Amino acid sequence: MNNTYILILYYSTHGATEKMAQQLARGVELSGMEARLRTVPKISAEIEAVAPSVPDTGAVYCSNDDLKDCSGLLLGSPTRFGNMAAPLKYFLDSTSSQWLNGDLIDKPAAVFTSTGSLHGGQESTLLSMMLPLLHHGMIITGLPYSEPSLMTTKTGGTPYGASHLAGSKSNNALSDDEIQHCQALGKRVATIAKNMLAAKK
Ligand SMILES: Cc1cc2nc3c(=O)[nH]c(=O)nc-3n(C[C@H](O)[C@H](O)[C@H](O)COP(=O)(O)O)c2cc1C
């Protein structure tokens, strides 16, 4: 069993959250750990619709083992009405067996989001993603103000997690501050996970 990767689990329709996930992965790798990027399928109003088992582009879908065996988790979603997107919530609602087994207890986790508007619910979405992770017994790590640009950013950036102001067409590039926050958060979760693994040896 490979137990030394950080799972970056995200949903993204237009690619903004995915761009954040890639920067978080850089941060994880800068700390010397493997980053495993995984996504979840869309859900359909047509109850019989079934997604292909492998997506046409981008990250592959997250398996039970990807989640169970991670050493830390970075969870990301676009903001949908101030909340996480339904496909990610749907996936999380299928994690009862990991909850019953306590697979995620005492593992570090952090969250990230992308919005259309600056005050459209970044913090509330980040908090909404923390709730199921707390039920799983994960140790939530935010982004501390030792990141100086948290005080000055004109785009995304919160102490609750990394955020991105994608704009109304979801096509803003990540700002320098947002890139810095994503990398710092990835690095933080990976470093904590590494220290916890070392302490167990
Ligand atoms: C159904 C729906 C609800 C949305 N709700 C919000 C919202 O509450 N606040 C906001 O700022 N943006 C909202 N948006 C915009 C998305 O959060 C934004 O476009 C985001 O960057 C998309 O990320 P993605 O490119 O990873 O799909 C909403 C978009 C959709 C489709």
Side-chain angles (χ1 to χ4, degrees):
M1 181 179 72
N2 177 357
N3 202 26
T4 58
Y5 61 88
I6 301 299
L7 177 63
I8 304 178
L9 173 60
Y10 67 93
Y11 176 73
S12 181
T13 305
H14 300 293
T17 313
E18 183 170 50
K19 278 189 279 180
M20 296 184 79
Q22 287 158 357
Q23 291 299 330
L24 284 146
R26 288 201 68 187
V28 169
E29 285 160 1
L30 283 171
S31 87
M33 280 196 84
E34 182 195 334
R36 189 174 290 188
L37 285 154
R38 293 289 184 266
T39 189
V40 296
K42 289 183 195 308
I43 53 174
S44 170
E46 289 181 54
I47 203 153
E48 72 276 14
V50 176
S53 55
V54 179
D56 294 338
T57 57
V60 300
Y61 297 133
C62 187
S63 71
N64 281 342
D65 283 350
D66 288 330
L67 185 61
K68 176 169 77 67
D69 295 337
C70 74
S71 300
L73 174 66
L74 291 153
L75 187 70
S77 170
T79 290
R80 295 269 169 97
F81 301 116
N83 209 320
M84 80 176 96
L88 191 65
K89 177 70 164 55
Y90 185 82
F91 175 86
L92 291 170
D93 284 357
S94 75
T95 59
S96 301
S97 70
Q98 290 90 339
W99 175 74
L100 281 167
N101 292 333
D103 291 330
L104 300 177
I105 289 177
D106 288 348
K107 293 180 178 178
V111 291
F112 59 102
T113 192
S114 171
T115 53
S117 58
L118 187 54
H119 300 290
Q122 293 185 349
E123 284 95 339
S124 61
T125 303
L126 295 169
L127 291 168
S128 79
M129 285 189 281
M130 290 179 191
L131 299 178
L133 304 186
L134 287 166
H135 280 253
H136 272 291
M138 301 198 87
I139 300 168
I140 309 288
T141 76
L143 192 57
Y145 278 94
S146 47
E147 286 302 321
S149 59
L150 280 182
M151 290 296 282
T152 53
T153 177
K154 299 279 190 288
T155 53
T158 87
Y160 306 94
S163 62
H164 168 48
L165 172 60
S168 57
K169 296 200 169 95
S170 201
N171 59 0
N172 291 353
L174 294 178
S175 70
D176 289 346
D177 286 343
E178 290 168 342
I179 289 172
Q180 169 62 24
H181 300 154
C182 287
Q183 293 190 4
L185 194 62
K187 206 167 161 190
R188 184 156 200 243
V189 168
T191 302
I192 293 169
K194 227 166 42 172
N195 290 343
M196 291 174 83
L197 288 169
K200 274 192 202 157
K201 279 187 185 158

